[in-house]
Amino acid sequence: MRVVLAEDLFLLRDGLVRLLEAHDFEIAAAVESGPELSRALAELDPDVAVVDVRLPPTHTDEGLQCALEARRRRPGLPVLVLSQHVEQLYARELLADGSGAVGYLLKDRVFDAEQFVDAVRRVAAGGTAMDPQVIQQLLARKSADDRPLARLTPREREVLEEMAQGRSNAAIAGKLVVTERAIAKHTANIFAKLGLAVSDDDNRRVLAVLAHLDHGR
């Protein structure tokens, strides 16, 4: 699996290269600026891009904008964005086209190698990997005035957080140490209470949940 990596801090970039290579990824390019990223994405046709939001020369959202432009040229290009802080605007921009194959993680998650590599693989496969803190903030801001969310049980909210991060029923069941059948029941209840159409497609249901949580913001 070929990866284009964009990170301006040399030590972190080098560490990510070594980590990904250790898990059988091929690094097509490891760059440190927005212009380099744009060229690499246009010329190398990677399987997935792992991109720091803030890159030279602007150090604002250069990396994100380069990735979004590349997705406009190649719809569905898998992109995993890394950020120092939770910025819900970035998550919304990534999800705007509704096609999936996107992820948004805080850089702290990189230090959990298993979680980070899982997110890269999930995004590369067309799925969605959203940072738990993004989901928690969306839930917290919606809960006070959103009656459907208020009707969720504590376990259903727990399942919702896992679902919104992009995990399948089987993965959620494994993490919560319950049966997959129990998770399927919770999932059906969540969709019913939120007024969303039930879907067996993991990516579609993630996008539906995130769209509901972000509605009206």
Side-chain angles (χ1 to χ4, degrees):
M1 190 178 297
R2 299 173 69 251
V3 181
V4 164
L5 171 67
E7 166 58 55
D8 64 321
L9 297 178
F10 171 76
L11 289 179
L12 181 54
R13 184 171 68 252
D14 186 62
L16 289 174
V17 167
R18 292 172 184 271
L19 173 60
L20 290 169
E21 287 181 336
H23 286 81
D24 300 322
F25 291 91
E26 176 189 345
I27 306 301
V31 302
E32 61 180 342
S33 71
E36 289 176 308
L37 173 60
S38 291
R39 285 194 297 273
L41 292 177
E43 296 172 3
L44 299 176
D45 196 29
D47 297 305
V48 61
V50 179
V51 178
D52 184 8
V53 167
R54 299 176 186 272
L55 291 175
T58 67
H59 288 287
T60 54
D61 62 349
E62 184 104 355
L64 175 66
Q65 295 307 320
C66 289
L68 291 175
E69 176 58 31
R71 276 174 67 90
R72 284 189 283 270
R73 292 195 305 267
R74 177 186 152 188
L77 170 68
V79 173
L80 175 62
V81 166
L82 304 178
S83 178
Q84 194 70 43
H85 308 288
V86 174
E87 293 284 355
Q88 292 180 32
L89 175 62
Y90 297 158
R92 290 201 297 276
E93 287 193 69
L94 276 173
L95 293 163
D97 65 10
S99 63
V102 293
Y104 179 102
L105 290 183
L106 292 181
K107 285 188 175 180
D108 289 348
R109 307 293 172 194
V110 171
F111 298 106
D112 184 331
E114 183 178 348
Q115 185 179 35
F116 173 67
V117 170
D118 175 67
V120 177
R121 293 192 190 280
R122 197 187 315 160
V123 169
T128 305
M130 302 304 293
D131 195 280
Q133 288 194 35
V134 176
I135 305 304
Q136 289 167 7
Q137 286 196 18
L138 287 171
L139 281 169
R141 295 193 179 196
K142 287 283 287 183
S143 291
D145 301 314
D146 194 292
R147 291 182 181 178
L149 277 177
R151 292 201 298 268
L152 298 183
T153 67
R155 176 60 95 182
E156 287 168 353
R157 289 176 64 88
E158 196 172 8
V159 171
L160 175 63
E161 289 189 26
E162 297 297 327
M163 187 195 310
Q165 290 172 46
R167 292 191 172 89
S168 66
N169 282 0
I172 297 172
K175 183 173 182 180
L176 300 184
V177 197
V178 297
T179 66
E180 191 172 345
R181 184 176 178 181
I183 297 300
K185 182 177 180 181
H186 287 311
T187 300
N189 290 340
I190 290 167
F191 275 91
K193 291 178 180 180
L194 298 184
L196 297 170
V198 177
S199 173
D200 292 327
D201 183 280
D202 289 337
N203 190 57
R204 196 176 305 157
R205 72 180 192 163
V206 168
L207 295 174
V209 169
L210 291 171
H212 172 82
L213 294 177
D214 203 38
H215 178 69
R217 285 189 48 75

Short mmCIF file of all heavy atoms in Angstrom, two decimals, residues 135-185:
data_model
loop_
_atom_site.label_atom_id
_atom_site.label_comp_id
_atom_site.label_asym_id
_atom_site.label_seq_id
_atom_site.Cartn_x
_atom_site.Cartn_y
_atom_site.Cartn_z
N ILE A 135 -15.67 13.35 18.21
CA ILE A 135 -16.99 12.78 18.43
C ILE A 135 -17.55 13.23 19.78
O ILE A 135 -18.72 13.62 19.89
CB ILE A 135 -16.95 11.24 18.37
CG1 ILE A 135 -16.33 10.77 17.04
CG2 ILE A 135 -18.34 10.66 18.56
CD1 ILE A 135 -17.03 11.30 15.81
N GLN A 136 -16.72 13.19 20.81
CA GLN A 136 -17.18 13.59 22.14
C GLN A 136 -17.60 15.05 22.18
O GLN A 136 -18.59 15.40 22.83
CB GLN A 136 -16.08 13.31 23.17
CG GLN A 136 -15.87 11.82 23.44
CD GLN A 136 -14.61 11.52 24.21
OE1 GLN A 136 -13.92 12.43 24.69
NE2 GLN A 136 -14.28 10.26 24.33
N GLN A 137 -16.87 15.91 21.49
CA GLN A 137 -17.24 17.32 21.46
C GLN A 137 -18.55 17.54 20.72
O GLN A 137 -19.40 18.32 21.14
CB GLN A 137 -16.13 18.16 20.83
CG GLN A 137 -14.93 18.34 21.74
CD GLN A 137 -14.03 19.47 21.27
OE1 GLN A 137 -14.42 20.34 20.49
NE2 GLN A 137 -12.79 19.49 21.77
N LEU A 138 -18.73 16.82 19.61
CA LEU A 138 -19.99 16.94 18.87
C LEU A 138 -21.15 16.46 19.73
O LEU A 138 -22.21 17.09 19.79
CB LEU A 138 -19.92 16.12 17.58
CG LEU A 138 -19.06 16.69 16.45
CD1 LEU A 138 -18.92 15.67 15.33
CD2 LEU A 138 -19.66 17.98 15.90
N LEU A 139 -20.95 15.34 20.43
CA LEU A 139 -22.01 14.82 21.29
C LEU A 139 -22.31 15.78 22.43
O LEU A 139 -23.47 16.04 22.75
CB LEU A 139 -21.60 13.46 21.86
CG LEU A 139 -21.74 12.25 20.93
CD1 LEU A 139 -21.05 11.03 21.53
CD2 LEU A 139 -23.21 11.95 20.69
N ALA A 140 -21.26 16.32 23.05
CA ALA A 140 -21.46 17.21 24.18
C ALA A 140 -22.21 18.47 23.77
O ALA A 140 -23.10 18.95 24.48
CB ALA A 140 -20.11 17.58 24.80
N ARG A 141 -21.88 19.04 22.62
CA ARG A 141 -22.52 20.27 22.17
C ARG A 141 -23.96 20.04 21.73
O ARG A 141 -24.78 20.94 21.80
CB ARG A 141 -21.72 20.91 21.04
CG ARG A 141 -20.35 21.36 21.50
CD ARG A 141 -19.69 22.27 20.49
NE ARG A 141 -18.40 22.71 20.96
CZ ARG A 141 -17.72 23.72 20.45
NH1 ARG A 141 -18.23 24.40 19.45
NH2 ARG A 141 -16.55 24.06 20.92
N LYS A 142 -24.25 18.83 21.26
CA LYS A 142 -25.60 18.55 20.78
C LYS A 142 -26.53 18.11 21.91
O LYS A 142 -27.74 18.31 21.84
CB LYS A 142 -25.57 17.45 19.72
CG LYS A 142 -25.01 17.88 18.39
CD LYS A 142 -26.01 18.71 17.60
CE LYS A 142 -27.12 17.84 17.06
NZ LYS A 142 -28.06 18.61 16.22
N SER A 143 -25.98 17.48 22.94
CA SER A 143 -26.80 16.80 23.94
C SER A 143 -27.79 17.70 24.65
O SER A 143 -28.93 17.32 24.90
CB SER A 143 -25.90 16.12 24.97
OG SER A 143 -25.21 15.04 24.39
N ALA A 144 -27.37 18.91 25.00
CA ALA A 144 -28.21 19.77 25.82
C ALA A 144 -29.55 20.08 25.18
O ALA A 144 -30.57 20.11 25.85
CB ALA A 144 -27.46 21.08 26.13
N ASP A 145 -29.57 20.30 23.87
CA ASP A 145 -30.79 20.72 23.21
C ASP A 145 -31.34 19.69 22.23
O ASP A 145 -32.28 19.97 21.51
CB ASP A 145 -30.54 22.04 22.44
CG ASP A 145 -30.07 23.14 23.37
OD1 ASP A 145 -30.68 23.30 24.43
OD2 ASP A 145 -29.11 23.82 23.03
N ASP A 146 -30.78 18.51 22.21
CA ASP A 146 -31.20 17.53 21.23
C ASP A 146 -31.92 16.38 21.93
O ASP A 146 -31.31 15.54 22.57
CB ASP A 146 -29.98 17.00 20.48
CG ASP A 146 -30.37 16.24 19.21
OD1 ASP A 146 -30.95 15.17 19.35
OD2 ASP A 146 -30.10 16.75 18.11
N ARG A 147 -33.23 16.35 21.82
CA ARG A 147 -34.02 15.34 22.52
C ARG A 147 -33.71 13.91 22.08
O ARG A 147 -33.66 13.02 22.92
CB ARG A 147 -35.51 15.65 22.35
CG ARG A 147 -35.93 16.91 23.10
CD ARG A 147 -37.41 17.17 22.96
NE ARG A 147 -37.79 18.39 23.65
CZ ARG A 147 -39.03 18.86 23.67
NH1 ARG A 147 -40.00 18.22 23.01
NH2 ARG A 147 -39.30 19.97 24.33
N PRO A 148 -33.54 13.64 20.76
CA PRO A 148 -33.19 12.27 20.38
C PRO A 148 -31.94 11.76 21.08
O PRO A 148 -31.90 10.63 21.55
CB PRO A 148 -33.00 12.37 18.87
CG PRO A 148 -33.88 13.50 18.46
CD PRO A 148 -33.76 14.49 19.58
N LEU A 149 -30.89 12.59 21.15
CA LEU A 149 -29.68 12.16 21.84
C LEU A 149 -29.94 11.93 23.31
O LEU A 149 -29.39 11.01 23.92
CB LEU A 149 -28.57 13.20 21.66
CG LEU A 149 -27.76 13.15 20.37
CD1 LEU A 149 -26.76 14.29 20.33
CD2 LEU A 149 -27.05 11.82 20.22
N ALA A 150 -30.78 12.75 23.89
CA ALA A 150 -31.10 12.61 25.31
C ALA A 150 -31.81 11.29 25.60
O ALA A 150 -31.77 10.80 26.73
CB ALA A 150 -31.95 13.78 25.78
N ARG A 151 -32.46 10.72 24.59
CA ARG A 151 -33.19 9.46 24.79
C ARG A 151 -32.27 8.24 24.74
O ARG A 151 -32.70 7.14 25.07
CB ARG A 151 -34.28 9.30 23.72
CG ARG A 151 -35.43 10.31 23.86
CD ARG A 151 -36.68 9.80 23.16
NE ARG A 151 -36.49 9.62 21.73
CZ ARG A 151 -36.75 10.55 20.81
NH1 ARG A 151 -37.19 11.74 21.19
NH2 ARG A 151 -36.56 10.31 19.53
N LEU A 152 -31.03 8.43 24.31
CA LEU A 152 -30.10 7.31 24.25
C LEU A 152 -29.69 6.87 25.65
O LEU A 152 -29.46 7.70 26.53
CB LEU A 152 -28.85 7.68 23.46
CG LEU A 152 -29.02 8.05 21.98
CD1 LEU A 152 -27.66 8.31 21.36
CD2 LEU A 152 -29.78 6.99 21.21
N THR A 153 -29.58 5.57 25.84
CA THR A 153 -29.08 5.04 27.10
C THR A 153 -27.57 5.24 27.16
O THR A 153 -26.92 5.47 26.12
CB THR A 153 -29.39 3.54 27.23
OG1 THR A 153 -28.62 2.83 26.24
CG2 THR A 153 -30.87 3.26 27.04
N PRO A 154 -26.96 5.15 28.36
CA PRO A 154 -25.50 5.27 28.44
C PRO A 154 -24.77 4.29 27.53
O PRO A 154 -23.77 4.63 26.90
CB PRO A 154 -25.21 4.99 29.92
CG PRO A 154 -26.46 5.45 30.62
CD PRO A 154 -27.57 5.08 29.69
N ARG A 155 -25.26 3.05 27.44
CA ARG A 155 -24.61 2.06 26.57
C ARG A 155 -24.78 2.44 25.10
O ARG A 155 -23.84 2.30 24.31
CB ARG A 155 -25.20 0.68 26.82
CG ARG A 155 -24.67 -0.40 25.90
CD ARG A 155 -23.14 -0.57 26.02
NE ARG A 155 -22.80 -1.61 26.94
CZ ARG A 155 -21.55 -1.96 27.27
NH1 ARG A 155 -20.53 -1.28 26.75
NH2 ARG A 155 -21.30 -2.91 28.12
N GLU A 156 -25.95 2.95 24.74
CA GLU A 156 -26.17 3.37 23.36
C GLU A 156 -25.27 4.54 22.98
O GLU A 156 -24.75 4.60 21.86
CB GLU A 156 -27.64 3.73 23.14
CG GLU A 156 -28.56 2.52 23.10
CD GLU A 156 -30.03 2.87 23.18
OE1 GLU A 156 -30.35 4.08 23.40
OE2 GLU A 156 -30.87 1.96 23.05
N ARG A 157 -25.05 5.46 23.90
CA ARG A 157 -24.13 6.57 23.64
C ARG A 157 -22.70 6.05 23.45
O ARG A 157 -21.96 6.54 22.60
CB ARG A 157 -24.18 7.60 24.77
CG ARG A 157 -25.46 8.42 24.81
CD ARG A 157 -25.46 9.36 26.02
NE ARG A 157 -24.39 10.33 25.93
CZ ARG A 157 -24.50 11.50 25.31
NH1 ARG A 157 -25.63 11.84 24.71
NH2 ARG A 157 -23.49 12.35 25.29
N GLU A 158 -22.34 5.05 24.24
CA GLU A 158 -21.01 4.45 24.12
C GLU A 158 -20.85 3.80 22.75
O GLU A 158 -19.83 3.97 22.08
CB GLU A 158 -20.84 3.40 25.23
CG GLU A 158 -19.42 2.98 25.48
CD GLU A 158 -19.29 2.10 26.70
OE1 GLU A 158 -20.33 1.69 27.27
OE2 GLU A 158 -18.14 1.82 27.09
N VAL A 159 -21.89 3.06 22.32
CA VAL A 159 -21.86 2.43 21.01
C VAL A 159 -21.82 3.48 19.90
O VAL A 159 -21.11 3.34 18.90
CB VAL A 159 -23.07 1.49 20.83
CG1 VAL A 159 -23.16 0.99 19.38
CG2 VAL A 159 -22.98 0.30 21.80
N LEU A 160 -22.58 4.57 20.09
CA LEU A 160 -22.62 5.65 19.10
C LEU A 160 -21.24 6.27 18.91
O LEU A 160 -20.81 6.53 17.78
CB LEU A 160 -23.61 6.72 19.54
CG LEU A 160 -23.69 7.98 18.66
CD1 LEU A 160 -24.15 7.63 17.25
CD2 LEU A 160 -24.63 9.01 19.28
N GLU A 161 -20.53 6.50 20.00
CA GLU A 161 -19.19 7.07 19.90
C GLU A 161 -18.27 6.15 19.11
O GLU A 161 -17.49 6.61 18.26
CB GLU A 161 -18.61 7.31 21.30
CG GLU A 161 -19.27 8.46 22.05
CD GLU A 161 -18.53 8.80 23.34
OE1 GLU A 161 -17.31 8.55 23.42
OE2 GLU A 161 -19.18 9.34 24.25
N GLU A 162 -18.34 4.85 19.39
CA GLU A 162 -17.50 3.89 18.66
C GLU A 162 -17.91 3.83 17.19
O GLU A 162 -17.06 3.78 16.29
CB GLU A 162 -17.61 2.51 19.29
CG GLU A 162 -17.13 2.42 20.72
CD GLU A 162 -15.65 2.72 20.86
OE1 GLU A 162 -14.89 2.39 19.93
OE2 GLU A 162 -15.25 3.31 21.88
N MET A 163 -19.21 3.82 16.92
CA MET A 163 -19.70 3.77 15.55
C MET A 163 -19.24 4.99 14.76
O MET A 163 -18.81 4.88 13.61
CB MET A 163 -21.24 3.73 15.57
CG MET A 163 -21.88 3.50 14.21
SD MET A 163 -23.65 3.90 14.22
CE MET A 163 -24.21 3.01 15.65
N ALA A 164 -19.33 6.16 15.38
CA ALA A 164 -18.97 7.39 14.69
C ALA A 164 -17.48 7.48 14.40
O ALA A 164 -17.06 8.23 13.52
CB ALA A 164 -19.40 8.60 15.52
N GLN A 165 -16.67 6.70 15.12
CA GLN A 165 -15.24 6.66 14.82
C GLN A 165 -14.93 5.76 13.63
O GLN A 165 -13.81 5.75 13.14
CB GLN A 165 -14.48 6.16 16.05
CG GLN A 165 -14.47 7.17 17.20
CD GLN A 165 -13.89 6.57 18.46
OE1 GLN A 165 -12.84 5.93 18.43
NE2 GLN A 165 -14.56 6.77 19.58
N GLY A 166 -15.93 5.00 13.18
CA GLY A 166 -15.74 4.17 11.99
C GLY A 166 -15.63 2.69 12.27
O GLY A 166 -15.29 1.92 11.38
N ARG A 167 -15.93 2.26 13.49
CA ARG A 167 -15.78 0.85 13.83
C ARG A 167 -17.02 0.04 13.43
O ARG A 167 -18.14 0.52 13.54
CB ARG A 167 -15.51 0.68 15.32
CG ARG A 167 -14.15 1.21 15.75
CD ARG A 167 -13.79 0.80 17.17
NE ARG A 167 -12.42 1.16 17.46
CZ ARG A 167 -12.04 2.33 17.97
NH1 ARG A 167 -12.95 3.25 18.26
NH2 ARG A 167 -10.77 2.60 18.19
N SER A 168 -16.79 -1.17 13.00
CA SER A 168 -17.87 -2.08 12.64
C SER A 168 -18.52 -2.64 13.90
O SER A 168 -17.97 -2.51 15.01
CB SER A 168 -17.32 -3.24 11.80
OG SER A 168 -16.44 -4.02 12.58
N ASN A 169 -19.66 -3.30 13.73
CA ASN A 169 -20.32 -3.93 14.88
C ASN A 169 -19.41 -4.95 15.54
O ASN A 169 -19.35 -5.04 16.77
CB ASN A 169 -21.62 -4.61 14.44
CG ASN A 169 -22.75 -3.62 14.23
OD1 ASN A 169 -22.58 -2.42 14.42
ND2 ASN A 169 -23.91 -4.12 13.85
N ALA A 170 -18.69 -5.72 14.72
CA ALA A 170 -17.79 -6.74 15.28
C ALA A 170 -16.68 -6.09 16.11
O ALA A 170 -16.35 -6.58 17.20
CB ALA A 170 -17.19 -7.58 14.15
N ALA A 171 -16.11 -5.00 15.60
CA ALA A 171 -15.04 -4.32 16.33
C ALA A 171 -15.56 -3.70 17.62
O ALA A 171 -14.89 -3.74 18.66
CB ALA A 171 -14.41 -3.24 15.45
N ILE A 172 -16.76 -3.12 17.58
CA ILE A 172 -17.35 -2.53 18.78
C ILE A 172 -17.62 -3.62 19.81
O ILE A 172 -17.35 -3.45 21.01
CB ILE A 172 -18.64 -1.77 18.44
CG1 ILE A 172 -18.35 -0.61 17.49
CG2 ILE A 172 -19.31 -1.24 19.72
CD1 ILE A 172 -19.60 0.07 16.95
N ALA A 173 -18.16 -4.74 19.35
CA ALA A 173 -18.45 -5.85 20.26
C ALA A 173 -17.18 -6.33 20.96
O ALA A 173 -17.17 -6.59 22.17
CB ALA A 173 -19.09 -7.00 19.49
N GLY A 174 -16.08 -6.42 20.18
CA GLY A 174 -14.82 -6.84 20.76
C GLY A 174 -14.31 -5.87 21.81
O GLY A 174 -13.82 -6.28 22.87
N LYS A 175 -14.43 -4.59 21.53
CA LYS A 175 -13.93 -3.58 22.46
C LYS A 175 -14.76 -3.52 23.74
O LYS A 175 -14.22 -3.37 24.83
CB LYS A 175 -13.90 -2.21 21.79
CG LYS A 175 -13.32 -1.13 22.70
CD LYS A 175 -13.13 0.19 21.98
CE LYS A 175 -12.51 1.21 22.93
NZ LYS A 175 -12.30 2.53 22.28
N LEU A 176 -16.09 -3.63 23.59
CA LEU A 176 -16.98 -3.53 24.75
C LEU A 176 -17.23 -4.87 25.43
O LEU A 176 -17.95 -4.94 26.42
CB LEU A 176 -18.32 -2.90 24.33
CG LEU A 176 -18.24 -1.49 23.72
CD1 LEU A 176 -19.64 -0.96 23.43
CD2 LEU A 176 -17.48 -0.53 24.64
N VAL A 177 -16.64 -5.93 24.87
CA VAL A 177 -16.74 -7.29 25.42
C VAL A 177 -18.20 -7.72 25.55
O VAL A 177 -18.67 -8.12 26.63
CB VAL A 177 -16.01 -7.41 26.78
CG1 VAL A 177 -15.76 -8.89 27.11
CG2 VAL A 177 -14.70 -6.66 26.78
N VAL A 178 -18.93 -7.60 24.46
CA VAL A 178 -20.31 -8.09 24.39
C VAL A 178 -20.47 -8.82 23.05
O VAL A 178 -19.55 -8.83 22.24
CB VAL A 178 -21.34 -6.93 24.48
CG1 VAL A 178 -21.25 -6.23 25.83
CG2 VAL A 178 -21.14 -5.93 23.36
N THR A 179 -21.64 -9.39 22.82
CA THR A 179 -21.85 -10.11 21.57
C THR A 179 -22.13 -9.14 20.44
O THR A 179 -22.63 -8.02 20.66
CB THR A 179 -23.03 -11.09 21.68
OG1 THR A 179 -24.25 -10.35 21.87
CG2 THR A 179 -22.83 -12.05 22.84
N GLU A 180 -21.83 -9.57 19.21
CA GLU A 180 -22.13 -8.75 18.05
C GLU A 180 -23.65 -8.55 17.90
O GLU A 180 -24.10 -7.50 17.44
CB GLU A 180 -21.56 -9.40 16.79
CG GLU A 180 -21.58 -8.50 15.57
CD GLU A 180 -20.83 -9.09 14.40
OE1 GLU A 180 -20.04 -10.04 14.60
OE2 GLU A 180 -21.03 -8.59 13.27
N ARG A 181 -24.41 -9.56 18.32
CA ARG A 181 -25.86 -9.44 18.26
C ARG A 181 -26.36 -8.31 19.16
O ARG A 181 -27.27 -7.56 18.79
CB ARG A 181 -26.50 -10.77 18.69
CG ARG A 181 -28.02 -10.79 18.58
CD ARG A 181 -28.55 -12.17 18.93
NE ARG A 181 -30.01 -12.20 18.87
CZ ARG A 181 -30.74 -13.27 19.14
NH1 ARG A 181 -30.14 -14.41 19.48
NH2 ARG A 181 -32.05 -13.22 19.07
N ALA A 182 -25.74 -8.18 20.33
CA ALA A 182 -26.12 -7.10 21.25
C ALA A 182 -25.82 -5.74 20.64
O ALA A 182 -26.62 -4.80 20.76
CB ALA A 182 -25.39 -7.26 22.59
N ILE A 183 -24.68 -5.62 19.97
CA ILE A 183 -24.32 -4.35 19.33
C ILE A 183 -25.28 -4.05 18.18
O ILE A 183 -25.68 -2.88 17.99
CB ILE A 183 -22.87 -4.40 18.81
CG1 ILE A 183 -21.89 -4.57 19.97
CG2 ILE A 183 -22.54 -3.13 18.01
CD1 ILE A 183 -21.95 -3.45 21.01
N ALA A 184 -25.66 -5.06 17.43
CA ALA A 184 -26.63 -4.85 16.34
C ALA A 184 -27.95 -4.30 16.88
O ALA A 184 -28.57 -3.42 16.28
CB ALA A 184 -26.86 -6.16 15.58
N LYS A 185 -28.37 -4.81 18.04
CA LYS A 185 -29.61 -4.33 18.66
C LYS A 185 -29.45 -2.88 19.10
O LYS A 185 -30.34 -2.05 18.87
CB LYS A 185 -29.97 -5.21 19.86
CG LYS A 185 -31.28 -4.82 20.53
CD LYS A 185 -31.62 -5.77 21.67
CE LYS A 185 -32.93 -5.36 22.34
NZ LYS A 185 -33.26 -6.28 23.47
#
